Amino acid sequence: MTTDKPLNFLEEIISEDVASGKHGGRVLTRFPPEPNGYLHIGHAKSIYVNFGLAKKFNGQTNLRFDDTNPEKEETEYVESIKRDIQWLGYQWANEFYASDYFGKLYEFAVTLIRKGLAYVDDSTAEEIASMKGTPTEPGKASPYRSRSVEENLDLFERMKNGEFRDGERTLRAKIDMASPNMHFRDPILYRIKHVHHHRTCDAWCIYPMYDFAHGQSDSIEQITHSICTLEFEVHRPLYDWFIEQLGIFKSRQYEFARLNLNYTVMSKRKLLQLVNEKHVSGWDDPRMPTISGLRRRGYTPEAIRNFCELVGVARRENVIDVGLLEHCVREDLNRNAARAMVVTDPIKLVITNYPEGKTETLTSEINPEDPDAGLRELPFGRELYIERDDFMEVPEKKYFRLGPGLMARLKSAYIVKCESFEKDAHGNITTLHCTYVPESKSGHDTSGLQVKGVIHWVHAPSAVPVEVRLYDRLFKVENPASEEGDFKDYINPDSLHVIPNAVAEPWLAKAKQGDHFQFMRKGYFAVDPDSANGKLVFNRTVSLKDSWGKK
C-alpha cells in the first residue's frame, strides 16, 4: 500500500488505535480462508488488505484455516492456498487452524451452558428453521430451550462422545428469539458430523459453526483488527456478544466491500460446478478467476497487487470491470515482458533475389521499454513464414501489408515486395514470391523507400513449432449469476481457441514455465505447464488492446 495518498477508512481506524496506544500500539490481522476450494481474485483483495494493513503499521498477519466443515475440506486446498499467498508476495507470521482450538472452543461452549446461555436442542433442521420467524415476525422458542444446565452439560458431553447420530441434536446459544437481528435468534453453535477431519482425523464428531469459531479464534490469537467483507457486518453483534459473555480478549471486527468482478462468477460452489462438470480443465484453468488460474494464464503478482490498490477499500458494494484487471497486467507486461515473433497461421514467403543457402544474423530489441535488456539474434534467409492475413490478393483501400505489387517491411529486417503467389487446389494461398531491397536493412536503411506496413516473420528453416492457446473471458454476459436459467448457459463458446501448429523464432526454444512474452502484434503470452517433449505451449494472458470494449 502506498503512503503518499489519503488513508482509507480502515487505515484511519488503525492509525487512531496505534496513536492512542490501544492494544499497546500492536497490530495483528489475520487471513482466515476455508480449505474447501482454491482462492480467487476476491480473496486476493482480502489478502492485499489484511497483509497490507499489517505491513503499513509495522504489524503482522496470521494465516488461519477455518477448517470447521470437514465434509468439504482437503489438504490439497490447504497447500494451494499457502502457495497462492506466497506467490502474491506475502508471508504470514503464524500458521494456525481453527481445529487447533477445538478443545478450547468446546470449553467456551461449556462455559456458555453453565451460564445458562446455551442449550442442547433435539429439533430437526427443518423445525429450527420454521421456529426462527421472519425479519418482521418474532421466532418461537424451542421446546428444549428450558432444559436445565445439568441436562445440557450431560447431553453436550454425550454429543462429543459420539452417542448421537448426525443431525440428531445441536447446541444453540440462548439469546433472543424476538431480536430484529436474525443471527441473535438462538444461533446454532455446534452440530454433529461423524466425518473424518483432514487434521484431527476422528477425534471429534461435533464441529463448531463459523459464527462461534470465528470470533473466539480471533480472541485466542489476540487479533487486534479482524477485517472481513461486508456480508459479515450483520454477524458483528453476535461476534461481540460471544466475546463479551465469555469475558475473553476483545478482538474487533471491521468490514469492507468485497470484490465483485464482471464476466465471471466468484461463488466457490459455482466454480466447483465448472470444475466437476468439465466446463473447464480444473481449478487452474486459465479462464478461471482463481489465483492459480490467473497465474497459469500469465498474470503477475505485481499486476494483481496493483489492481487491488486501484480498486481501493470502500464500504459500499460495487462491480469492478474486468477490463481494469486486464489493464493492470498489460501495463506490467508491457514494461517487463520480452518481445518475440510468432506466426500463428503461417504461409511461406520466398525471397527470390536472396542467395540460396545463405543465412544472416539480424538483431532486434528484447524489450524496447528496457534498454538494459539488450538484443536478441534473428536468423534470416531466403525462406520465411508470415501470417496468412498479412497478404491480401485484392488489397482494400488503405491496406499497408503485402499484396500483388505491394511492399512492406519485415520487422528488424528488410523491405520486401510481393511479385507473385501460388495457390493450392482449393484456392488457398500457399506461397508468396517476393523480392527484397538489400539497401533497406533495419538500422542501416539507405534505400530512401517509405513503407507504412511492418509485419512479423519467422525464418522457416529454424522455426520452432509451438502450440498457442487463445483465452478469452469465460462468460459472454456481465453477470451470469443474475441471468435467467442456469449460469452455465452463458459460458462463452469462444473462450478458448487452440492453434496447434504455430511457428516461433528460435530464441523462444529456451523459454521455460513462468516466462512472459509479448508476441508482436498478437498479445501477451506465458509458457504453460503442459509444455513437454520439445513442444512449447503458450497461453495468451491478454490481448494488446481491449477488444471487449468495442464489442
Side-chain angles (χ1 to χ4, degrees), residues 391-395 402-407 417-421:
F391 173 81
M392 187 173 286
E393 185 176 354
V394 182
L402 290 175
L406 295 183
M407 292 191 296
K417 179 181 179 181
C418 180
E419 306 291 353
S420 63
F421 56 89

Side-chain angles (χ1 to χ4, degrees), residues 171-223:
L171 181 71
R172 297 176 68 183
K174 187 189 291 187
I175 309 180
D176 182 3
M177 289 301 293
S179 172
N181 185 333
M182 299 290 285
H183 295 283
F184 265 42
R185 296 186 184 182
D186 291 11
I188 295 174
L189 307 185
Y190 271 88
R191 72 282 204 210
I192 301 171
K193 284 179 178 284
H194 291 272
V195 179
H196 185 82
H197 190 279
H198 73 106
R199 293 187 76 245
T200 61
C201 301
D202 301 311
W204 293 87
C205 63
I206 57 171
Y207 293 96
M209 299 295 287
Y210 172 84
D211 274 334
F212 188 62
H214 174 214
Q216 282 54 262
S217 297
D218 283 348
S219 181
I220 291 168
E221 294 173 20
Q222 297 200 351
I223 299 298

Side-chain angles (χ1 to χ4, degrees), residues 27-60:
V27 174
L28 180 61
T29 64
R30 87 289 172 268
F31 177 63
E34 298 176 70
N36 61 359
Y38 281 60
L39 299 183
H40 56 59
I41 186 66
H43 295 110
K45 180 181 176 183
S46 291
I47 291 168
Y48 170 84
V49 170
N50 277 287
F51 282 86
L53 285 169
K55 182 178 180 181
K56 184 180 182 72
F57 294 97
N58 300 312
Q60 293 181 318

Side-chain angles (χ1 to χ4, degrees), residues 13-27 224-225 249:
I13 290 169
I14 298 177
S15 180
E16 291 172 5
D17 287 348
V18 170
S20 69
K22 187 176 182 180
H23 305 301
R26 181 177 59 90
V27 174
T224 61
H225 300 83
F249 178 84

Side-chain angles (χ1 to χ4, degrees), residues 299-463:
Y299 276 76
T300 62
E302 294 80 7
I304 293 174
R305 292 197 303 265
N306 188 40
F307 168 70
C308 292
E309 181 162 357
L310 289 175
V311 168
V313 177
R315 284 192 175 99
R316 190 175 64 179
E317 295 280 3
N318 58 354
V319 178
I320 304 300
D321 191 335
V322 70
L324 180 60
L325 178 60
E326 294 168 344
H327 165 77
C328 289
V329 76
R330 276 193 198 97
E331 289 283 299
D332 185 56
L333 294 179
N334 182 55
R335 289 190 300 268
N336 300 302
R339 273 46 171 180
M341 292 193 284
V342 175
V343 177
T344 55
D345 186 11
I347 58 171
K348 186 165 283 189
L349 183 153
V350 178
I351 303 175
T352 56
N353 64 333
Y354 195 90
E356 291 191 39
K358 177 184 175 182
T359 301
E360 65 177 300
T361 300
L362 305 176
T363 59
S364 188
E365 66 272 19
I366 291 175
N367 184 352
E369 300 293 323
D370 179 13
D372 294 334
L375 302 173
R376 68 187 195 276
E377 294 185 341
L378 299 170
F380 183 87
R382 181 181 173 90
E383 294 189 1
L384 312 172
Y385 288 120
I386 67 165
E387 294 286 356
R388 184 174 300 277
D389 62 7
D390 279 338
F391 173 81
M392 187 173 286
E393 185 176 354
V394 182
E396 299 173 348
K397 189 177 181 181
K398 294 187 178 180
Y399 180 81
F400 300 120
R401 287 166 283 168
L402 290 175
L406 295 183
M407 292 191 296
R409 175 171 290 283
L410 301 174
K411 169 67 176 172
S412 299
Y414 298 93
I415 295 173
V416 293
K417 179 181 179 181
C418 180
E419 306 291 353
S420 63
F421 56 89
E422 298 178 23
K423 292 183 178 181
D424 61 18
H426 302 288
N428 300 311
I429 305 293
T430 58
T431 307
L432 304 184
H433 295 280
C434 299
T435 55
Y436 87 118
V437 181
E439 299 80 18
S440 65
K441 186 175 181 179
S442 291
H444 306 280
D445 189 351
T446 59
S447 68
L449 296 173
Q450 298 293 325
V451 294
K452 292 184 177 180
V454 179
I455 62 176
H456 62 284
W457 54 275
V458 171
H459 182 235
S462 55

Side-chain angles (χ1 to χ4, degrees), residues 481-497:
S482 69
E483 298 285 344
E484 291 185 10
D486 192 332
F487 78 99
K488 298 186 296 295
D489 294 339
Y490 301 93
I491 291 176
N492 176 14
D494 299 318
S495 62
L496 172 60
H497 175 53

